[in-house]
Amino acid sequence: MKKKFLLIPTIPLILVFFILNQSCSRKEKQSVKNLPQPITLDQDYPIQPVIFTSVKFEDEFWSKRLETAKNVTIPFTLDQTELTGRIKNFRIAAGQEEGGFCSEYPFDDSDVFKILEGASYVLMMEDNPKLEAKVDSLIALIGDAQEPDGYLYTNRSILGDNAHPWAGQKRWELTHDLSHELYNIGHLIESGVAHYYATGKKSLIDIAIKAADRVSEDFGSEKLVSYPGHQIIELALAKLYRATGNQKYLETSEFLLEARKGGSEYSQSHIPVTEQFEAVGHAVRGVYMYSGMADIAAIKQNQAYITAINSIWEDVVSKKMYITGGIGSTGHGEAFGAPYELPNMAAYCETCASIGNVYWNHRLFMLHGDGKYYDVLERTLYNSLLSGVGMSGDSFFYPNPLESHGQHERSPWFPCACCPSNVARFIPSVPGYFYAIREDELFINLFASSTADVTILNNKVNIIQNTQYPWEGKIDIEVNPESEAEFEIKVRIPGWSNQDQSPGGLYQFANKVDQTVQIQVNGEPYSFQTEKGYAILAKSWKKGDKITVNLPMPVRMVKSHDQVSTNQDKLAIQRGPLIYAAEWADQEDQKVLNVVLQPDSEFSVKYNSALLGGVNTIHSQAKALIENENGELESRPKELTLIPYYAWAHRGPGEMQVWLPTKEEDSKPSRNPSIASKSKLSGSHPTKALKAINDQMEPSNSNDNSILFYHWWPKKDTTEWLQYDFDQPYQIKEAEVYWFDDGPFGGTRIPAKWRILYHNGLEWVPVEPSSPYEIKKDQFSKVSFTPVLTQSLRLEVTLPKEHASGVMEWKVN
């Protein structure tokens, strides 16, 4: 006989136990009968998570992040959706106001839905009448904006035939491309399911059901055969199926996956999903699709889907994932790069991709019960994902690079605001990733001082964790079953504590340590066996039983696979689950790009409660490469301080790097000031990247992504300029320019022509060249001219007809 599984709405699959375990104080929640009830089905994930409302943090790390999400991030992002016209779009679509489409992108509806999802999680955890009233008013507005037949897409409702070019002239016409109609509805469904289980109210899920019915009516083998250009609705429809038991939502989800063929690698639609075995294309789209495939695989036992996503996962962890857990190495298409293409400064690592990576790995764990998926999840959660939100809760990164020359700062919002709204819905759900259950097995996956109430074989069990994790590796666990019972407790033994830096072998520890994991039960050493990364503790548990786990946390140096060219002869520093970075603010000379780390370095660790919300800092002796007064390079001793990577960029812009060179030739030396480097910079298209022009860092080629560059993209076929204003008049006779050209897959080329002008005190005058203006790739292009005495010099550039141009360095002599 088949086992029966709870139909659990995957939010990410952590909501349903709330219905059974939580008491409710709001009027609509005065009894469990008023709440949605779980239903059963024949097959689902064999492992189920313990809902986040059953886990209460009592630590210094996660507790304040959840409080910040509740008190700052969700109110702030809701305000931003109002200020940027996203909510006004719904008012206009509902006929409550007049006007045109008020925001930039047709997918802006989705930001409102995601923030409502995050707000629903808050309502699940506590009474908040003010927030609940705001949520209710927004839901009513969304319902008014929905068209009578269920279609909901404010851009088309407002603009009709003049909708955004991405939307097409009629419904669904460009859904396979960039319309994002199905993407918006996917996030609506996720929000509706979350709100339903949080409050017991059907107001938002009814809107979602109406929209999902429209999709199910319109798409199918005998109807419209198409697919979403941006995936998310696939996993959302699986959630709706779990919430309602309506088979058509599952069938529509599977159809939208099966319809993917004949499209592009960018949207993973180039070949059928069951024939995809490598990660290609837009990273966020990819991990959302792989998560949806996992949901279908779990419910329908689709082995072809499992084979595909298993293979794709191996490809990612062995060739395409950053040490921080970030994915998507290139800004061209926000995409997975080629195998081992993992640039540091140019790393994209979109925050949304990190969130999607958590979703995907969580689902793979629930399918297979293997701790390696949690190794990736934890790495991503503590590093690349947390970097995406400032500790104040109201500033965000879109990309999360592993090196900066000072051009990166978090922003309060973006025109494309998918990352802030995604953070708003994700952080409140973090407690739901800590525990899971399979029959008589309790999985302890993550560690924080907390209490959790779980049910194992109808026996209620209270679990208490006490730990200083992630700063220290000692974890005390108290087990309190309601009645004595035999069951297994499976404690994850992180790979980093067992000499296995990461699954897939992409990264390895460079220094060996002799420390091993130790476990005690009730004060006595416990000889344990491991299975799939978990220590198995099987006994008859009674109230007050205590487990002590000691995970060794020495400072580890990490090296990359030899084929990761950008990290050759470089080391990263890790302690516990945290990757560390060198940042300008902690160094006496406020430089880190000039660092040379010794492979035999020794490290010390100090906890600083006053720094960055309380962090462990790592200290070591290193060298700094510096140009002396004679213009010669020399190395000097340097006290090096490292902070957790997630905490960088909170003290102003400046240098940062994760991968530290071990050879002087790979360091970027601090140089003596030049005429150009002392100049005041300006240009026809001012951006933060202007500083690249005179930073004295010379590239190795015209697409060297290890240094900063400046470009005029997306402009083309125009004349642009850059200007140096010197600190005093100089006699200038030569200029050299290193052009940026990102090759056949980019939009920037060497210029059509260029010239130098100087200011004579009255006007700009072209110099008189004594040599031709060179236009070369992968080297400096020079021009010599009759010497001029001037305090201002201008570089005038004519862009090609079909491309932009850019500059990596401009020197004057």
Side-chain angles (χ1 to χ4, degrees):
M1 188 173 76
K2 290 184 178 179
K3 297 175 183 177
K4 297 288 185 179
F5 290 81
L6 290 175
L7 270 174
I8 298 181
T10 40
I11 305 234
L13 300 178
I14 52 178
L15 291 177
V16 78
F17 294 131
F18 167 78
I19 301 163
L20 300 178
N21 296 336
Q22 301 295 307
S23 61
C24 311
S25 57
R26 288 189 290 270
K27 289 183 179 179
E28 284 200 40
K29 291 184 167 186
Q30 289 178 345
S31 72
V32 173
K33 293 179 181 179
N34 291 331
L35 289 170
Q37 295 298 305
I39 55 178
T40 58
L41 70 164
D42 289 337
Q43 186 64 51
D44 202 345
Y45 288 104
I47 299 172
Q48 295 291 341
V50 173
I51 184 163
F52 65 92
T53 51
S54 292
V55 181
K56 306 297 182 186
F57 287 143
E58 297 175 352
D59 68 333
E60 290 296 318
F61 191 88
W62 284 111
S63 293
K64 56 189 176 185
R65 282 168 173 79
L66 265 65
E67 283 295 306
T68 300
K70 177 185 70 174
N71 296 326
V72 179
T73 306
I74 290 173
F76 175 79
T77 51
L78 276 174
D79 287 345
Q80 288 294 318
T81 59
E82 185 71 75
L83 292 171
T84 57
R86 285 163 168 79
I87 292 175
K88 188 174 182 179
N89 286 335
F90 286 96
R91 295 194 191 101
I92 296 170
Q96 298 177 9
E97 294 184 18
E98 295 183 355
F101 191 72
C102 300
S103 56
E104 189 165 347
Y105 297 107
F107 52 72
D108 289 340
D109 294 357
S110 68
D111 295 322
V112 179
F113 302 147
K114 282 184 279 186
I115 298 165
L116 280 176
E117 182 180 343
S120 295
Y121 297 154
V122 172
L123 294 178
M124 233 175 158
M125 292 184 284
E126 65 176 31
D127 286 327
N128 191 324
K130 182 178 179 181
L131 179 62
E132 187 164 15
K134 176 70 172 177
V135 167
D136 287 345
S137 67
L138 284 175
I139 291 171
L141 176 60
I142 292 166
D144 289 343
Q146 188 173 36
E147 297 188 14
D149 66 353
Y151 185 75
L152 182 54
Y153 187 68
T154 64
N155 186 269
R156 195 182 308 280
S157 296
I158 294 169
L159 300 178
D161 293 340
N162 296 314
H164 194 284
W166 290 356
Q169 295 297 304
K170 58 184 180 180
R171 290 183 185 181
W172 318 128
E173 180 182 9
L174 296 179
T175 190
H176 65 286
D177 193 9
L178 293 173
S179 79
H180 290 80
E181 290 157 286
L182 293 174
Y183 173 81
N184 285 359
I185 290 173
H187 279 300
L188 169 66
I189 293 169
E190 289 191 280
S191 182
V193 172
H195 183 259
Y196 178 49
Y197 279 94
T199 66
K201 299 177 182 179
K202 299 189 69 176
S203 50
L204 187 54
I205 199 173
D206 281 348
I207 297 169
I209 288 171
K210 193 174 179 182
D213 288 345
R214 179 75 274 139
V215 174
S216 295
E217 285 292 319
D218 290 351
F219 288 82
S221 57
E222 303 298 324
K223 309 168 191 175
L224 175 60
V225 178
S226 190
Y227 51 84
H230 195 311
Q231 301 90 312
I232 195 69
I233 194 172
E234 301 87 348
L235 66 86
L237 285 167
K239 292 180 184 181
L240 191 59
Y241 167 63
R242 288 185 171 97
T244 65
N246 193 324
Q247 186 77 19
K248 71 178 179 182
Y249 302 133
L250 185 66
E251 293 171 352
T252 303
S253 175
E254 187 173 23
F255 171 80
L256 293 174
L257 287 167
E258 292 295 314
R260 304 189 79 81
K261 57 179 73 77
S264 67
E265 280 194 354
Y266 171 75
S267 61
Q268 297 85 27
S269 58
H270 53 305
I271 55 177
V273 296
T274 54
E275 297 175 19
Q276 297 187 34
F277 303 109
E278 297 179 354
V280 298
H282 190 272
V284 179
R285 284 168 163 84
V287 287
Y288 283 174
M289 183 179 85
Y290 310 147
S291 298
M293 291 172 68
D295 285 347
I296 298 299
I299 296 169
K300 302 195 72 172
Q301 291 296 283
N302 187 322
Q303 187 57 49
Y305 279 14
I306 293 174
T307 299
I309 58 178
N310 285 350
S311 177
I312 293 168
W313 185 86
E314 292 289 347
D315 180 57
V316 170
V317 300
S318 64
K319 300 173 185 175
K320 297 174 181 175
M321 185 176 72
Y322 282 90
I323 192 171
T324 58
I327 54 174
S329 63
T330 174
H332 297 311
E334 302 176 325
F336 292 104
Y340 308 109
E341 181 190 355
L342 296 164
N344 292 313
M345 191 183 70
Y348 206 72
C349 295
E350 184 180 336
T351 299
C352 285
S354 292
I355 291 173
N357 204 21
V358 169
Y359 290 164
W360 180 31
N361 278 276
H362 190 223
R363 285 164 165 83
L364 287 171
F365 160 74
M366 291 188 293
L367 275 174
H368 302 302
D370 198 316
K372 66 184 181 181
Y373 301 114
Y374 255 93
D375 284 352
V376 175
L377 187 156
E378 181 183 60
R379 174 184 303 277
T380 306
L381 178 63
Y382 277 96
N383 297 288
S384 185
L385 196 158
L386 275 187
S387 167
V389 56
M391 286 183 282
S392 62
D394 56 2
S395 63
F396 309 90
F397 272 140
Y398 198 112
N400 292 273
L402 280 75
E403 181 176 312
S404 179
H405 295 189
Q407 74 274 35
H408 298 99
E409 292 182 88
R410 289 185 182 83
S411 173
W413 197 250
F414 307 98
C416 173
C418 54
C419 295
S421 56
N422 227 354
V423 167
R425 73 172 180 148
F426 177 81
I427 295 296
S429 73
V430 165
Y433 292 96
F434 274 64
Y435 299 91
I437 292 174
R438 177 174 58 194
E439 298 179 347
D440 64 344
E441 300 168 309
L442 170 65
F443 293 84
I444 301 179
N445 292 314
L446 297 172
F447 311 107
S449 288
S450 57
T451 62
D453 294 308
V454 304
T455 301
I456 305 172
L457 300 178
N458 297 318
N459 191 3
K460 293 181 180 179
V461 182
N462 170 256
I463 302 291
I464 301 172
Q465 278 196 49
N466 282 300
T467 179
Q468 295 300 312
Y469 200 88
W471 311 122
E472 301 300 335
K474 182 183 179 185
I475 303 142
D476 291 318
I477 303 167
E478 184 175 320
V479 185
N480 295 302
E482 196 170 66
S483 57
E484 185 172 347
E486 284 195 20
F487 54 90
E488 287 186 359
I489 295 179
K490 291 189 168 183
V491 180
R492 185 175 69 91
I493 306 300
W496 53 258
S497 69
N498 246 353
Q499 306 297 333
D500 185 8
Q501 203 282 336
S502 65
L506 186 56
Y507 305 103
Q508 296 179 346
F509 290 126
N511 56 328
K512 301 296 182 182
V513 297
D514 296 329
Q515 302 174 45
T516 59
V517 176
Q518 303 291 324
I519 295 180
Q520 294 180 335
V521 175
N522 293 327
E524 298 295 328
Y526 189 91
S527 179
F528 61 92
Q529 292 183 329
T530 58
E531 180 181 280
K532 293 186 176 181
Y534 287 86
I536 303 172
L537 284 64
K539 66 184 293 288
S540 180
W541 297 97
K542 61 183 184 300
K543 188 172 293 188
D545 279 342
K546 292 180 172 58
I547 303 166
T548 298
V549 180
N550 276 292
L551 303 175
M553 277 193 180
V555 177
R556 306 300 299 270
M557 292 186 285
V558 184
K559 61 183 180 180
S560 290
H561 191 285
D562 290 344
Q563 293 192 54
V564 183
S565 60
T566 53
N567 295 339
Q568 288 299 301
D569 299 312
K570 295 180 180 180
L571 295 170
I573 305 302
Q574 177 173 352
R575 184 174 185 271
L578 298 174
I579 303 301
Y580 277 72
E583 190 180 24
W584 67 275
D586 303 297
Q587 322 308 323
E588 185 177 352
D589 62 355
Q590 298 193 344
K591 303 281 187 181
V592 300
L593 301 176
N594 64 1
V595 166
V596 181
L597 185 68
Q598 304 306 300
D600 58 352
S601 294
E602 295 184 357
F603 301 91
S604 62
V605 180
K606 299 177 183 177
Y607 183 75
N608 188 338
S609 61
L611 180 66
L612 298 167
V615 296
N616 274 346
T617 55
I618 294 176
H619 305 265
S620 185
Q621 289 291 326
K623 293 181 179 179
L625 197 61
I626 295 172
E627 185 180 58
N628 64 24
E629 59 273 11
N630 298 320
E632 301 166 335
L633 293 180
E634 63 179 47
S635 62
R636 299 176 183 174
K638 182 185 182 83
E639 294 276 349
L640 180 65
T641 299
L642 306 174
I643 62 168
Y645 168 76
Y646 76 78
W648 81 284
H650 284 93
R651 296 169 290 178
E655 295 180 359
M656 179 279 294
Q657 64 177 347
V658 169
W659 288 98
L660 305 174
T662 60
K663 293 185 176 180
E664 290 184 359
E665 55 265 35
D666 297 320
S667 177
K668 298 178 175 68
S670 299
R671 297 191 177 274
N672 294 323
S674 68
I675 296 172
S677 71
K678 294 187 295 182
S679 301
K680 178 183 177 182
L681 261 173
S682 57
S684 57
H685 181 58
T687 71
K688 292 178 183 178
L690 267 178
K691 65 178 66 179
I693 308 305
N694 65 345
D695 64 5
Q696 298 181 289
M697 294 187 185
E698 298 186 6
S700 59
N701 59 70
S702 288
N703 194 22
D704 184 349
N705 54 32
S706 71
I707 69 169
L708 188 60
F709 57 85
Y710 169 86
H711 59 69
W712 286 282
W713 190 89
K715 296 184 178 183
K716 54 188 176 182
D717 197 21
T718 62
T719 298
E720 307 293 336
W721 56 269
L722 295 167
Q723 182 174 320
Y724 282 155
D725 291 311
F726 306 132
D727 58 342
Q728 65 182 50
Y730 290 97
Q731 184 164 283
I732 310 297
K733 64 176 182 179
E734 187 178 72
E736 302 177 62
V737 183
Y738 209 115
W739 303 108
F740 173 64
D741 187 318
D742 55 5
F745 301 108
T748 308
R749 299 289 185 276
I750 56 177
K753 60 182 180 179
W754 63 289
R755 65 175 183 164
I756 299 292
L757 300 91
Y758 73 100
H759 202 273
N760 64 8
L762 297 173
E763 59 184 347
W764 289 102
V765 180
V767 299
E768 296 180 6
S770 56
S771 68
Y773 280 96
E774 298 176 340
I775 305 179
K776 296 180 178 180
K777 187 176 174 180
D778 299 326
Q779 59 183 290
F780 276 100
S781 298
K782 300 181 181 180
V783 64
S784 298
F785 44 86
T786 302
V788 296
L789 183 66
T790 184
Q791 197 164 345
S792 297
L793 208 64
R794 180 171 284 191
L795 169 63
E796 189 177 86
V797 183
T798 300
L799 278 52
K801 289 189 178 297
E802 299 299 329
H803 296 92
S805 289
V807 175
M808 306 186 84
E809 192 73 15
W810 174 24
K811 299 192 294 187
V812 297
N813 302 312

